[in-house]
Amino acid sequence: MSDKGGHGFSLPNGKGVKSSLKSTTPVTKDASIKGKDDSSTKSKKGRNVQFASEGSKFDKSAAASTKANSGSSGGKKEPEPLQLKVENELPKGAKCLMDCEAAYVLQGIQEQMIILSKDPTIKLPVSFDRGLQYTKRSTHYTDPESVRQVLENLKKYGVSDGEICVIANVYPETTDEVFALLLSLKARRIMLDDPVKEVLSELAKLKKST
Amino acid sequence: MFFHIVLERNMQLHPRHFGRNLRENLVAKLMKDVEGTCSGQHGFVVAITGIENIGKGLIRDGTGFVSFPVKYQCVVFRPFKGEILEAVVTMVNKMGFFAEAGPVQIFVSNHLIPDDMEFQSGDMPNYTTSDGSVKIQKDSEVRLKIIGTRVDATEIFCIGTIKDDFLGVINDPASV
């Protein structure tokens, strides 16, 4: 399954890339011309692969990795630029974890391993250490539970789990920052402005004092 | 972003592992097999956190191996397009820079670095604004946005951008 995205980034080859595949279709600005034949991708329900200006800049690197346009990621056509759509891409039953929650879980496992690892053949992989290191560095809060509680308030305004996690992970300071980083929320800004402001002020209280 | 998820896998176990410790052996093998692997759909399996259920074993014809369907919970790390991440810069060159966020590698091309930042070569290659106020070099922490991902058998590689509002350096090691 790892070859689903093929080799090469699943970036749009955008304007001006000579695709090795026959692509006589005019490349519209927002079109994600990916895959072997565009007609089939249209019908395919797939990831939202829209790039506005970023795409074209990647022409060279994308072209270099020839198959940059693997057909599997045929996208719906939407005019918006790149948005976070965690829910669409994730298998069912997955639950997003904020970095601080992940830190808590991983830390627990590490401690357990020290006690339990009599068997020298079981070693924690490199990716575990890297993951733990990453969570430690990027965790801004001490108490994951109360952070989760505060952010749950946004759920009733239709903010998704993925978006909530990003807010928790990047620790934005202003509402402007939130809406600039999460384009998917921008459209609903009028409705979300106040609740987000409230949540941010609550989060500021929970910040780790370092 | 990290996820908690339940996955299933058929584990084949040699008869020598049967007996009282069958379950432990099975779990140990599972950990050895899946931790640290990655797939396009789930990303990196960082750690197994629990076993939900071990099904009835089935003898494989002709080998004696028994395969058990095992359902397990695990923590996975997967980058998403559009996600904002904090990453540490590992290498800077004139093409752009590489950064690392957990187990994931991210490349930011110089086209996706703000236009006012220029590449400076030297002992410590870096990108600096014309007034010198902002500098990206090795070990800088940057906030970036993922715009593309590629997955192969052992690693996930991303393309990121810092050419947007509220993206860029968040912690400069030189200034500390």
Side-chain angles (χ1 to χ4, degrees):
Chain A
M1 65 171 12
S2 64
D3 58 345
K4 223 185 156 197
H7 295 294
F9 306 101
S10 32
L11 282 169
N13 43 358
K15 304 159 254 181
V17 174
K18 258 184 219 145
S19 167
S20 55
L21 311 151
K22 49 151 193 176
S23 72
T24 44
T25 344
V27 185
T28 54
K29 207 175 190 180
D30 60 335
S32 58
I33 304 297
K34 299 172 137 286
K36 306 152 213 151
D37 58 344
D38 331 345
S39 51
S40 81
T41 54
K42 265 179 219 159
S43 59
K44 233 185 265 173
K45 219 177 111 191
R47 284 181 271 179
N48 181 14
V49 271
Q50 301 299 330
F51 297 86
S53 53
E54 298 107 312
S56 54
K57 311 224 166 88
F58 258 102
D59 289 351
K60 271 181 209 155
S61 61
S65 50
T66 51
K67 280 189 241 156
N69 46 0
S70 64
S72 60
S73 48
K76 286 184 277 190
K77 305 213 165 169
E78 272 171 42
E80 292 107 305
L82 183 59
Q83 289 192 356
L84 185 67
K85 294 260 179 183
V86 173
E87 277 69 22
N88 293 2
E89 296 184 39
L90 212 66
K92 267 188 194 158
K95 182 174 165 265
C96 302
L97 290 177
M98 302 179 295
D99 284 353
C100 46
E101 288 175 320
Y104 185 76
V105 174
L106 295 184
Q107 192 101 48
I109 290 175
Q110 199 193 31
E111 280 158 19
Q112 231 181 6
M113 277 310 274
I114 296 167
I115 308 161
L116 289 176
S117 64
K118 289 170 216 152
D119 185 354
T121 57
I122 305 176
K123 262 188 262 164
L124 289 171
V126 190
S127 55
F128 179 88
D129 292 329
R130 292 222 184 121
L132 183 63
Q133 225 178 7
Y134 169 71
T135 56
K136 276 186 184 160
R137 203 186 46 241
S138 66
T139 295
H140 305 282
Y141 315 101
T142 43
D143 183 7
E145 262 177 48
S146 32
V147 175
R148 172 63 79 175
Q149 254 169 29
V150 170
L151 285 165
E152 286 288 305
N153 291 335
L154 287 178
K155 257 199 170 161
K156 57 178 179 249
Y157 298 96
V159 180
S160 73
D161 260 343
E163 288 157 349
I164 283 179
C165 288
V166 170
I167 295 177
N169 295 350
V170 300
Y171 184 64
E173 275 159 1
T174 61
T175 48
D176 283 341
E177 206 171 336
V178 174
F179 293 111
L181 295 176
L182 286 164
L183 294 173
S184 44
L185 297 181
K186 211 171 183 179
R188 289 172 278 163
R189 173 153 194 174
I190 303 162
M191 199 175 80
L192 283 169
D193 218 358
D194 286 333
V196 167
K197 198 182 266 178
E198 219 167 273
V199 164
L200 290 187
S201 68
E202 283 293 316
L203 285 183
K205 289 180 206 158
L206 294 168
K207 206 194 169 195
K208 198 156 64 179
S209 49
T210 40
Chain B
M1 192 180 298
F2 285 94
F3 296 94
H4 215 177
I5 192 174
V6 177
L7 296 176
E8 196 171 351
R9 186 182 172 90
N10 271 324
M11 297 293 304
Q12 299 218 17
L13 207 62
H14 193 273
R16 70 164 173 270
H17 300 297
F18 298 171
R20 264 194 312 175
N21 293 332
L22 191 145
R23 194 187 153 91
E24 279 91 89
N25 288 331
L26 206 56
V27 174
K29 187 167 189 303
L30 180 72
M31 288 171 84
K32 231 194 278 179
D33 282 4
V34 299
E35 285 188 351
T37 59
C38 78
S39 76
Q41 200 183 6
H42 306 116
F44 270 99
V45 178
V46 178
I48 293 172
T49 54
I51 305 292
E52 285 236 315
N53 171 38
I54 299 179
K56 284 225 167 83
L58 206 72
I59 301 174
R60 313 287 302 174
D61 285 348
T63 62
F65 275 85
V66 172
S67 82
F68 294 90
V70 181
K71 267 194 182 166
Y72 58 97
Q73 303 155 347
C74 57
V75 175
V76 296
F77 183 84
R78 189 192 143 170
F80 282 90
K81 287 181 210 162
E83 188 184 343
I84 315 290
L85 280 181
E86 285 171 14
V88 177
V89 176
T90 52
M91 189 174 78
V92 180
N93 61 34
K94 68 177 192 317
M95 306 291 288
F97 66 83
F98 287 88
E100 235 175 45
V104 176
Q105 299 271 343
I106 302 153
F107 177 66
V108 179
S109 151
N110 59 7
H111 292 111
L112 298 172
I113 295 172
D115 294 329
D116 63 335
M117 296 192 89
E118 290 268 321
F119 177 71
Q120 318 277 336
S121 55
D123 287 350
M124 200 68 162
N126 59 70
Y127 283 88
T128 315
T129 50
S130 49
D131 62 353
S133 61
V134 183
K135 198 186 240 181
I136 296 174
Q137 59 187 29
K138 192 173 181 291
D139 296 327
S140 297
E141 278 181 43
V142 290
R143 181 195 277 174
L144 47 82
K145 185 193 250 175
I146 307 285
I147 60 170
T149 61
R150 185 194 72 186
V151 181
D152 65 27
T154 54
E155 67 174 356
I156 300 180
F157 198 83
C158 299
I159 292 291
T161 176
I162 55 167
K163 206 178 191 177
D164 222 334
D165 293 344
F166 299 105
L167 299 178
V169 179
I170 42 179
N171 180 14
D172 185 0
S175 66
V176 179

